[in-house]
Every structure is written in structure tokens, then in C-alpha cells.
Amino acid sequence: MSATQSTEGSEEKAREKIDAGQFFACELRVGRVFEVEDFPEARKPAYKVSVDFGPAGILRTSAQVTHYEPESLLGDLVVGVVNLKPKRIAGFPSEFLLLGSYDTDGRAQLLVPAKGAAPGDLVG
């Protein structure tokens, strides 16, 4: 077993189990990225990302996805948790959580909705 597998197994065991209701309380929606700005004030390299979630509104977040070129994100569909309380990051109100997975280098790979999805669609 590799060190990575060992670490992943340990993290899984350490996580507390939650009720399904806690998970389903999260409102996951499809949105379209329409603005990406540098965020030099953030402690870790990040962008300020603005996303249109259709009827759920336009929300902004701080996202550590600087391995993507800003222009390549414009117009992309993404998935976000839109009913979280805002969190201030270096004075910036981060209003939702952009979802993705982490590759073996620890970089976030954005979650992509299925073909035919549209801004505002619920994910569940």
C-alpha cells in the first residue's frame, strides 16, 4: 500500500458519519462561471470566481484553482453548494463552495455537470 493510500484510509476512518439529512440540507446547483479575478490578498493562491446559478442568483467565491487559466473557466458549467453562510477570506465574502475532486498532485479538479445541465439546475 502506498503512503497516499494509507493516508486516505486514515482520513476516512477519522471522519465522523453524518445523517443523510445533513447532506441533503446542502443545496447543490449548477452554475455558469462569468468572471474570474486574481486574488493576491489570499494566503494561498486563489481566484475570485463569480458564478450565475440562475434563479438561485449570482454568487462569488474564493477558489484555489489557479492551475486553470482564468479565460479557460469563463463560460464553464460548475457545481456549487449555494446555501452556506458567507465566509470572509482576506476581506472577501465567499458565498458558496465550488465543488471538485483533488488529483494526485493535490490540485482541485472542478466537478463538471452532465451534458444538458443548465444554470440553476439542482444536483442531487
Side-chain angles (χ1 to χ4, degrees):
M1 180 182 329
S2 73
T4 303
Q5 290 171 325
S6 175
T7 301
E8 288 172 1
S10 299
E11 287 178 15
E12 274 186 40
K13 290 178 187 174
R15 293 179 193 244
E16 180 182 334
K17 300 291 183 187
I18 63 171
D19 292 324
Q22 289 174 283
F23 175 78
F24 290 116
C26 295
E27 184 179 336
L28 283 68
R29 290 196 180 264
V30 173
R32 186 175 307 279
V33 177
F34 72 88
E35 185 175 48
V36 180
E37 303 173 59
D38 288 329
F39 191 10
E41 301 86 4
R43 279 187 285 152
K44 295 182 179 179
Y47 293 138
K48 295 177 183 177
V49 181
S50 298
V51 177
D52 180 356
F53 287 100
I58 292 172
L59 299 174
R60 299 180 75 202
T61 193
S62 168
Q64 295 174 8
V65 293
T66 56
H67 57 285
Y68 289 95
E69 290 296 323
E71 300 79 25
S72 73
L73 295 171
L74 295 175
D76 281 359
L77 290 177
V78 294
V79 176
V81 182
V82 300
N83 65 331
L84 299 175
K85 293 178 182 176
K87 179 178 180 179
R88 293 200 76 72
I89 299 173
F92 174 74
S94 189
E95 302 168 314
F96 76 98
L97 177 64
L98 192 57
L99 296 181
S101 61
Y102 291 99
D103 65 18
T104 56
D105 294 325
R107 296 177 303 192
Q109 301 299 318
L110 295 176
L111 187 63
V112 179
K115 187 175 179 176
D121 286 355
L122 278 169
V123 177

CSV table of all heavy atoms in Angstrom, one decimal, residues 29-35 49-60 76-78 82 96 118-121:
chain,number,residue,atom,x,y,z
A,29,ARG,N,-26.2,23.2,-6.8
A,29,ARG,CA,-26.7,23.7,-8.0
A,29,ARG,C,-25.7,23.9,-9.1
A,29,ARG,O,-24.5,24.0,-8.8
A,29,ARG,CB,-27.4,25.1,-7.8
A,29,ARG,CG,-28.7,25.0,-7.0
A,29,ARG,CD,-29.5,26.2,-7.2
A,29,ARG,NE,-30.8,26.1,-6.4
A,29,ARG,CZ,-31.9,25.7,-6.9
A,29,ARG,NH1,-32.0,25.4,-8.2
A,29,ARG,NH2,-33.0,25.6,-6.2
A,30,VAL,N,-26.1,23.8,-10.3
A,30,VAL,CA,-25.3,24.0,-11.5
A,30,VAL,C,-25.2,25.6,-11.7
A,30,VAL,O,-26.2,26.2,-11.6
A,30,VAL,CB,-25.9,23.3,-12.8
A,30,VAL,CG1,-25.1,23.7,-14.0
A,30,VAL,CG2,-25.9,21.8,-12.6
A,31,GLY,N,-24.0,26.0,-12.0
A,31,GLY,CA,-23.9,27.5,-12.3
A,31,GLY,C,-22.9,27.7,-13.5
A,31,GLY,O,-22.2,26.7,-13.9
A,32,ARG,N,-22.9,28.9,-14.1
A,32,ARG,CA,-22.0,29.2,-15.2
A,32,ARG,C,-21.0,30.3,-14.7
A,32,ARG,O,-21.5,31.3,-14.3
A,32,ARG,CB,-22.8,29.7,-16.4
A,32,ARG,CG,-21.9,29.9,-17.6
A,32,ARG,CD,-22.6,30.2,-18.9
A,32,ARG,NE,-23.7,29.3,-19.2
A,32,ARG,CZ,-23.6,28.1,-19.8
A,32,ARG,NH1,-22.4,27.7,-20.1
A,32,ARG,NH2,-24.6,27.4,-20.1
A,33,VAL,N,-19.7,30.0,-14.9
A,33,VAL,CA,-18.7,31.0,-14.5
A,33,VAL,C,-18.8,32.2,-15.5
A,33,VAL,O,-18.8,31.9,-16.7
A,33,VAL,CB,-17.3,30.3,-14.5
A,33,VAL,CG1,-16.2,31.4,-14.2
A,33,VAL,CG2,-17.2,29.2,-13.6
A,34,PHE,N,-18.8,33.4,-15.0
A,34,PHE,CA,-18.8,34.5,-15.9
A,34,PHE,C,-17.7,35.6,-15.5
A,34,PHE,O,-17.5,36.5,-16.3
A,34,PHE,CB,-20.2,35.2,-16.0
A,34,PHE,CG,-20.6,36.0,-14.7
A,34,PHE,CD1,-20.3,37.3,-14.6
A,34,PHE,CD2,-21.3,35.4,-13.7
A,34,PHE,CE1,-20.7,38.0,-13.5
A,34,PHE,CE2,-21.7,36.0,-12.6
A,34,PHE,CZ,-21.4,37.4,-12.5
A,35,GLU,N,-17.0,35.4,-14.4
A,35,GLU,CA,-16.0,36.3,-14.1
A,35,GLU,C,-14.9,35.6,-13.2
A,35,GLU,O,-15.3,34.8,-12.3
A,35,GLU,CB,-16.5,37.5,-13.4
A,35,GLU,CG,-15.5,38.6,-13.1
A,35,GLU,CD,-16.1,39.8,-12.5
A,35,GLU,OE1,-16.8,39.7,-11.5
A,35,GLU,OE2,-15.7,40.9,-12.9
A,49,VAL,N,-14.1,34.0,-8.0
A,49,VAL,CA,-14.9,33.4,-9.1
A,49,VAL,C,-16.3,33.8,-8.9
A,49,VAL,O,-16.9,33.6,-7.8
A,49,VAL,CB,-14.7,31.9,-9.1
A,49,VAL,CG1,-15.5,31.3,-10.3
A,49,VAL,CG2,-13.3,31.5,-9.2
A,50,SER,N,-16.9,34.4,-9.9
A,50,SER,CA,-18.4,34.8,-9.9
A,50,SER,C,-19.1,33.8,-10.8
A,50,SER,O,-18.7,33.5,-11.9
A,50,SER,CB,-18.6,36.2,-10.5
A,50,SER,OG,-17.9,37.1,-9.6
A,51,VAL,N,-20.2,33.3,-10.3
A,51,VAL,CA,-21.0,32.2,-11.0
A,51,VAL,C,-22.5,32.6,-11.0
A,51,VAL,O,-23.0,33.0,-9.9
A,51,VAL,CB,-20.8,30.9,-10.3
A,51,VAL,CG1,-21.6,29.8,-10.9
A,51,VAL,CG2,-19.3,30.5,-10.3
A,52,ASP,N,-23.1,32.4,-12.1
A,52,ASP,CA,-24.6,32.6,-12.2
A,52,ASP,C,-25.3,31.3,-12.0
A,52,ASP,O,-25.1,30.4,-12.8
A,52,ASP,CB,-24.9,33.2,-13.6
A,52,ASP,CG,-26.3,33.4,-13.9
A,52,ASP,OD1,-27.2,33.1,-13.0
A,52,ASP,OD2,-26.7,33.9,-15.0
A,53,PHE,N,-26.0,31.2,-10.9
A,53,PHE,CA,-26.7,30.0,-10.6
A,53,PHE,C,-28.2,30.1,-11.0
A,53,PHE,O,-29.1,29.5,-10.4
A,53,PHE,CB,-26.6,29.7,-9.1
A,53,PHE,CG,-25.3,29.2,-8.7
A,53,PHE,CD1,-24.3,30.0,-8.1
A,53,PHE,CD2,-24.9,27.9,-8.9
A,53,PHE,CE1,-23.1,29.6,-7.8
A,53,PHE,CE2,-23.7,27.4,-8.6
A,53,PHE,CZ,-22.7,28.2,-8.0
A,54,GLY,N,-28.5,30.9,-12.0
A,54,GLY,CA,-29.9,31.0,-12.5
A,54,GLY,C,-30.8,31.6,-11.4
A,54,GLY,O,-30.4,32.6,-10.8
A,55,PRO,N,-31.9,31.0,-11.1
A,55,PRO,CA,-32.9,31.5,-10.1
A,55,PRO,C,-32.3,31.7,-8.7
A,55,PRO,O,-32.7,32.4,-7.9
A,55,PRO,CB,-34.0,30.5,-10.1
A,55,PRO,CG,-33.9,29.8,-11.4
A,55,PRO,CD,-32.4,29.8,-11.8
A,56,ALA,N,-31.2,30.9,-8.5
A,56,ALA,CA,-30.5,31.0,-7.1
A,56,ALA,C,-29.7,32.2,-7.0
A,56,ALA,O,-29.2,32.5,-5.9
A,56,ALA,CB,-29.7,29.7,-6.9
A,57,GLY,N,-29.4,32.9,-8.1
A,57,GLY,CA,-28.7,34.2,-8.1
A,57,GLY,C,-27.2,34.1,-8.5
A,57,GLY,O,-26.7,33.0,-8.8
A,58,ILE,N,-26.6,35.2,-8.5
A,58,ILE,CA,-25.2,35.3,-8.8
A,58,ILE,C,-24.4,35.3,-7.5
A,58,ILE,O,-24.7,36.1,-6.6
A,58,ILE,CB,-24.9,36.6,-9.6
A,58,ILE,CG1,-25.5,36.5,-11.0
A,58,ILE,CG2,-23.4,36.8,-9.7
A,58,ILE,CD1,-25.4,37.7,-11.8
A,59,LEU,N,-23.4,34.4,-7.3
A,59,LEU,CA,-22.7,34.3,-6.1
A,59,LEU,C,-21.2,34.3,-6.4
A,59,LEU,O,-20.8,34.0,-7.6
A,59,LEU,CB,-23.0,33.0,-5.4
A,59,LEU,CG,-24.5,32.8,-5.0
A,59,LEU,CD1,-24.7,31.4,-4.4
A,59,LEU,CD2,-24.8,33.9,-3.9
A,60,ARG,N,-20.4,34.7,-5.4
A,60,ARG,CA,-18.9,34.8,-5.6
A,60,ARG,C,-18.3,33.9,-4.6
A,60,ARG,O,-18.8,33.7,-3.5
A,60,ARG,CB,-18.5,36.3,-5.4
A,60,ARG,CG,-19.1,37.2,-6.5
A,60,ARG,CD,-18.7,38.6,-6.4
A,60,ARG,NE,-17.3,38.7,-6.9
A,60,ARG,CZ,-16.5,39.6,-6.5
A,60,ARG,NH1,-16.9,40.6,-5.7
A,60,ARG,NH2,-15.3,39.7,-7.0
A,76,ASP,N,-17.7,28.1,-18.4
A,76,ASP,CA,-17.9,26.7,-17.9
A,76,ASP,C,-19.0,26.5,-16.9
A,76,ASP,O,-19.3,27.4,-16.1
A,76,ASP,CB,-16.6,26.3,-17.2
A,76,ASP,CG,-15.5,25.9,-18.2
A,76,ASP,OD1,-15.7,26.0,-19.4
A,76,ASP,OD2,-14.4,25.5,-17.7
A,77,LEU,N,-19.6,25.4,-17.0
A,77,LEU,CA,-20.6,25.0,-16.0
A,77,LEU,C,-19.9,24.3,-14.9
A,77,LEU,O,-19.0,23.5,-15.1
A,77,LEU,CB,-21.6,24.0,-16.6
A,77,LEU,CG,-22.6,24.6,-17.6
A,77,LEU,CD1,-23.5,23.5,-18.2
A,77,LEU,CD2,-23.4,25.7,-17.0
A,78,VAL,N,-20.3,24.6,-13.7
A,78,VAL,CA,-19.7,24.1,-12.5
A,78,VAL,C,-20.8,23.7,-11.5
A,78,VAL,O,-22.0,24.0,-11.7
A,78,VAL,CB,-18.7,25.1,-11.8
A,78,VAL,CG1,-17.5,25.4,-12.7
A,78,VAL,CG2,-19.5,26.4,-11.4
A,82,VAL,N,-24.7,26.2,-2.6
A,82,VAL,CA,-25.1,27.6,-2.6
A,82,VAL,C,-25.9,28.1,-1.3
A,82,VAL,O,-26.1,29.3,-1.2
A,82,VAL,CB,-26.0,27.9,-3.9
A,82,VAL,CG1,-25.3,27.7,-5.1
A,82,VAL,CG2,-27.3,27.2,-3.8
A,96,PHE,N,-20.3,30.8,-1.6
A,96,PHE,CA,-20.7,29.4,-1.9
A,96,PHE,C,-19.4,28.6,-2.0
A,96,PHE,O,-18.3,29.1,-2.0
A,96,PHE,CB,-21.5,29.3,-3.2
A,96,PHE,CG,-20.7,29.4,-4.5
A,96,PHE,CD1,-20.2,28.3,-5.2
A,96,PHE,CD2,-20.3,30.7,-5.0
A,96,PHE,CE1,-19.5,28.5,-6.4
A,96,PHE,CE2,-19.6,30.8,-6.2
A,96,PHE,CZ,-19.2,29.7,-6.9
A,118,ALA,N,-28.1,23.0,-16.9
A,118,ALA,CA,-28.2,24.5,-17.1
A,118,ALA,C,-28.1,25.2,-15.8
A,118,ALA,O,-28.4,24.6,-14.7
A,118,ALA,CB,-29.6,24.8,-17.8
A,119,PRO,N,-27.7,26.4,-15.8
A,119,PRO,CA,-27.6,27.2,-14.6
A,119,PRO,C,-28.9,27.2,-13.8
A,119,PRO,O,-30.0,27.3,-14.3
A,119,PRO,CB,-27.2,28.6,-15.0
A,119,PRO,CG,-26.5,28.4,-16.3
A,119,PRO,CD,-27.2,27.2,-16.9
A,120,GLY,N,-28.8,26.9,-12.5
A,120,GLY,CA,-29.9,26.8,-11.6
A,120,GLY,C,-30.4,25.4,-11.4
A,120,GLY,O,-31.1,25.1,-10.4
A,121,ASP,N,-30.0,24.4,-12.2
A,121,ASP,CA,-30.4,23.0,-12.0
A,121,ASP,C,-29.9,22.5,-10.6
A,121,ASP,O,-28.8,22.8,-10.2
A,121,ASP,CB,-29.8,22.1,-13.1
A,121,ASP,CG,-30.5,22.2,-14.4
A,121,ASP,OD1,-31.5,23.0,-14.5
A,121,ASP,OD2,-30.0,21.6,-15.4
